[in-house]
Amino acid sequence: MDDTSLIRQHISDLLGPQGCLLAPDQRQPYEKGARYGDGRSLCIARPASVDEAAELMRLCASEKIRIIPQGANTGLVGASSPDRSGLDVVLSMERIKGVTDIDPVDRVVQAYAGTRLSDLNQALKQHELYFPIDLAADPSIGGMLAANTGGARLIRYGDVRHNVLGLEALLIDPPGQRLDLTNRLRKNNTGPDWKQNFIGSGGAYGIITQALLQVHPLPQQCATALVVPASLQAAALLLRDAERNFSDFLSAFEGISHNAMQAVLQHIPSIQAPFEPLPPYVFLIELSSARPRSADFDLEKLFGAWLEACFGDLILDAVIDKPEVLWRIRHAITDSVRQEGKVIAFDIAVPRSKLALFRDEAIALLEQSYAGVKVYDFGHWGDGGLHFNLVLPPHLADDYPPQRIHALRQEIYDLAVHKYYGSFSAEHGVGPFNQEFYERYTAPESQALAARVQTVFDPAGLLGLTRFGTAP
């Protein structure tokens, strides 16, 4: 029996047949990422408890085997996929799941890392609470922390980082050691906040096993509208006016381009066009409140009055409809655009006051240097995020080899980062897919410091594929 077969046997003995997947057809869903990443693993390890996960880490550390932490495998930068060596162990947290505590007074929920967002919110619903990170996917809680997920309602609730009170993690040095940071206090100014090292670092510093999350009252009324701005330049003024008028009631301000909307209507016939003809750009604006609707507090009436007052200067048209109707359009964009051709996806952020200028300049760049590429953008205009997604029609595939697509990507990133002081990864994090851009745009001093920290947590380089710099 060779070394790899022996290691597989040890892992199988530790975790059992349900906890160690060896057959290629069993491994494949864990080896291929949602968008990027398609490797080959030594095996898929699925521990059923934190103790089993800790023991697995000790085994892998003793054999110098790299571990690829994985939640629901919904990430978009390849961080949860193995490389092609066939030597990595994918550690799936999907069996370590469940909500263990809900405190309605503190508005805190404690859950294991493998718990899906949908299951978490289902458990919270009976207490009229929810975790308001809105996503088209259904990620695991551990994955959401590791990626510091954003979502469509960041404008009101912030990202995951803003809603984490505490967590527990397993360290690789010493191997399998539990680090208990499960503090549920909102105020605890007693030194370094170590949990922040594990949020947004993609599992590079340790494997999150549990989380304590701040949750919010479930909205009792919502008002949503698709709004056609007088111009994209007027969008910033419209956003500012909405914030001034509605303050904390404003929970989403999402942009949808003509092409993105057209793709949804073309590929999902059951969705009706909200406007005829479709405008160049629309915004999905949402107001919500935990206070029930009453004669003296009705968000739809307040919303309608505000929209009417904005007509002419800021708004050309608007449609008010049920939230589930309008959000169905927004959540259908990604899958619909994928059917238009090869997607060149971007997850960009710039100051929201500059979004329209950035978009105009990026489109002009494409028209000048990359003929035929179509823009299907949408995004979180309320927080400066833009999914500036492009589609390469099939008939142009020969004109755009990988090298040209890479050059296109770099030009768009250069524009966003260097001219508009933006980010090349607004909410998807850093992984093998965009590692080179992290190295291109992150200050050398920051990379050096991050590398030193990563070396402290993972001196042998056994956790994941992402490296935040090179230690001196």
Side-chain angles (χ1 to χ4, degrees):
M1 184 178 291
D2 61 24
D3 289 346
T4 57
S5 297
L6 189 61
I7 292 167
R8 287 191 186 101
Q9 186 61 54
H10 287 330
I11 295 174
S12 183
D13 290 344
L14 172 66
L15 303 180
Q18 296 301 312
C20 181
L21 305 183
L22 298 173
D25 61 327
Q26 292 179 313
R27 300 198 317 260
Q28 196 273 338
Y30 301 85
E31 294 173 335
K32 184 175 177 59
R35 180 177 290 166
Y36 304 108
D38 187 6
R40 190 166 61 89
S41 67
L42 183 71
C43 69
I44 309 299
R46 301 168 64 242
S49 68
V50 176
D51 287 341
E52 283 191 359
E55 191 61 38
L56 174 72
M57 293 179 74
R58 284 189 279 271
L59 172 60
C60 290
S62 68
E63 300 292 337
K64 302 296 187 215
I65 297 171
R66 186 166 55 202
I67 297 169
I68 307 297
Q70 186 177 105
N73 201 23
T74 59
L76 299 175
V77 292
S80 62
S81 301
D83 66 14
R84 295 182 179 275
S85 68
L87 300 176
D88 297 335
V89 169
V90 174
L91 197 172
S92 170
M93 297 295 287
E94 64 182 354
R95 297 174 71 199
I96 306 176
K97 62 183 179 179
V99 175
T100 58
D101 183 46
I102 298 174
D103 188 326
V105 176
D106 279 342
R107 284 195 289 109
V108 173
V109 62
Q110 183 167 357
Y112 283 111
T115 308
R116 293 295 187 108
L117 176 61
S118 59
D119 293 331
L120 182 79
N121 277 327
Q122 187 62 38
L124 290 167
K125 188 175 181 180
Q126 60 182 309
H127 300 280
E128 296 187 339
L129 298 168
Y130 82 134
F131 191 55
I133 308 299
D134 180 78
L135 303 165
D138 188 18
S140 69
I141 298 305
M144 293 177 73
L145 270 66
N148 187 31
T149 308
R153 293 189 172 94
L154 187 145
I155 186 176
R156 178 169 177 179
Y157 299 104
D159 55 14
V160 165
R161 187 185 302 278
H162 285 83
N163 293 279
V164 177
L165 297 176
L167 57 82
E168 178 190 75
L170 292 176
L171 303 179
I172 195 65
D173 186 41
Q177 178 175 297
R178 287 198 194 201
L179 183 62
D180 187 349
L181 303 171
T182 54
N183 193 312
R184 61 177 62 203
L185 299 176
R186 285 170 170 77
K187 299 178 71 175
N188 182 32
N189 192 13
T190 55
D193 189 1
W194 289 105
K195 70 176 181 289
Q196 300 297 346
N197 287 283
F198 301 92
I199 302 172
S201 54
Y205 296 161
I207 296 177
I208 296 169
T209 57
Q210 294 189 66
L212 284 103
L213 307 173
Q214 172 182 264
V215 293
H216 299 263
L218 194 66
Q220 300 300 310
Q221 58 169 316
C222 292
T224 53
L226 284 177
V227 176
V228 181
S231 67
L232 269 189
Q233 288 66 34
L237 300 176
L238 187 66
L239 172 59
R240 183 180 68 179
D241 201 67
E243 289 182 325
R244 286 177 174 175
N245 278 272
F246 300 113
S247 186
D248 290 343
F249 296 134
L250 181 64
S251 49
F253 195 96
E254 297 285 289
I256 305 173
S257 66
H258 173 281
N259 286 350
M261 178 81 75
Q262 183 63 56
V264 171
L265 298 176
Q266 179 174 341
H267 296 289
I268 308 180
S270 59
I271 295 180
Q272 296 184 342
F275 304 100
E276 288 288 354
L278 290 180
Y281 222 89
V282 301
F283 290 93
L284 194 165
I285 304 176
E286 177 187 82
L287 309 180
S288 59
S289 173
R291 180 179 170 185
R293 182 177 285 109
S294 64
D296 61 345
F297 184 68
D298 188 325
L299 281 181
E300 281 197 358
K301 289 183 179 179
L302 292 171
F303 198 21
W306 175 73
L307 290 171
E308 188 173 338
C310 291
F311 265 88
D313 293 337
L314 298 177
I315 292 175
L316 298 180
D317 202 355
V319 172
I320 296 177
D321 209 332
K322 295 178 180 179
E324 58 269 24
V325 172
L326 300 186
W327 279 106
R328 187 184 178 206
I329 297 173
R330 170 63 181 81
H331 289 317
I333 293 174
T334 299
D335 287 341
S336 298
V337 170
R338 192 178 293 125
Q339 298 180 62
E340 295 288 295
K342 179 181 175 61
V343 177
I344 306 171
F346 290 88
D347 170 39
I348 285 169
V350 301
R352 59 189 197 174
S353 61
K354 305 296 184 184
L355 264 173
L357 292 174
F358 165 78
R359 183 178 185 272
D360 287 346
E361 191 164 349
I363 290 174
L365 184 158
L366 293 172
E367 290 174 346
Q368 179 178 349
S369 302
Y370 299 97
V373 175
K374 297 183 66 177
V375 180
Y376 289 77
D377 64 301
F378 62 99
H380 318 300
W381 281 59
D383 58 54
L386 183 65
H387 296 296
F388 190 71
N389 288 358
L390 313 177
V391 168
L392 186 62
H395 70 277
L396 291 179
D398 292 342
D399 295 335
Y400 284 87
Q403 299 89 336
R404 193 177 184 196
I405 292 175
H406 183 274
L408 183 162
R409 186 177 294 282
Q410 186 165 296
E411 284 202 63
I412 295 295
Y413 284 149
D414 281 352
L415 179 66
V417 175
H418 293 318
K419 183 168 183 178
Y420 287 93
Y421 304 100
S423 171
F424 68 94
S425 185
E427 58 183 357
H428 293 168
V430 178
F433 163 70
N434 57 5
Q435 174 85 51
E436 66 168 294
F437 299 111
Y438 169 84
E439 295 168 0
R440 180 179 178 85
Y441 299 117
T442 304
E445 300 82 4
S446 295
Q447 292 190 51
L449 180 59
R452 286 162 60 191
V453 173
Q454 189 167 7
T455 300
V456 170
F457 282 98
D458 183 15
L462 297 179
L463 285 180
L465 297 170
T466 305
R467 294 293 172 263
F468 292 110
T470 302

